[in-house]
Amino acid sequence: MDCNADRFLALENMTEEVKAACRETEQKEPEGIAETAAVIYNSLAECYAESAKEIEGMTGITYDCIHIIGGGANADYLNRLTSKATGKKVCAGPAEATAVGNLAAQMIADGTFENLEGARKCIRTSFPIKEYS
């Protein structure tokens, strides 16, 4: 299903909306929370694949890796599906991206890191990054 559809914004009952979307598109209606979650996760992975193709088409650059940071870095199943749907490696982490980014910006400003490249190198070696391919 189209994860970007307005129908999925600020819902009272996501499960019922997912079922309705499946019925309307003549797909099997999920039974239970596990099947509903599978529909959502698979749809998100396909959406990410479409977005990656769109970005590559607009930039003329082919990317071999998708970086997932923040809370999404902990979504193991979704990251596996994303790698499969895109055919790309997924690098997940760090999970606390906002705090790490804030700290890195401060460390660049005070001269601890010479530039963004140095901060990124430190982050990459300081936090676990899980790779999916």
Side-chain angles (χ1 to χ4, degrees), residues 1-8 21 25 27 43 47 50:
M1 41 180 204
D2 178 7
C3 296
N4 293 318
D6 290 345
R7 72 186 298 162
F8 297 115
T25 55
Q27 298 179 69
S43 296
C47 179
E50 290 171 19

Side-chain angles (χ1 to χ4, degrees), residues 58-96:
M58 291 183 338
T59 63
I61 300 169
T62 300
Y63 299 92
D64 62 348
C65 183
I66 295 175
H67 293 269
I68 307 290
I69 61 172
N74 296 324
D76 184 75
Y77 181 56
L78 178 56
N79 293 331
R80 288 178 192 279
L81 290 173
T82 300
S83 178
K84 183 177 178 181
T86 61
K88 299 178 184 299
K89 179 171 63 172
V90 170
C91 294
E96 295 299 331

Side-chain angles (χ1 to χ4, degrees), residues 16-43:
E16 290 306 315
E17 196 64 32
V18 168
K19 288 180 180 181
C22 288
R23 281 192 305 270
E24 291 167 18
T25 55
E26 299 180 0
Q27 298 179 69
K28 180 184 178 295
E29 187 175 322
E31 296 178 20
I33 193 67
E35 285 187 11
T36 302
V39 168
I40 293 168
Y41 280 129
N42 279 283
S43 296

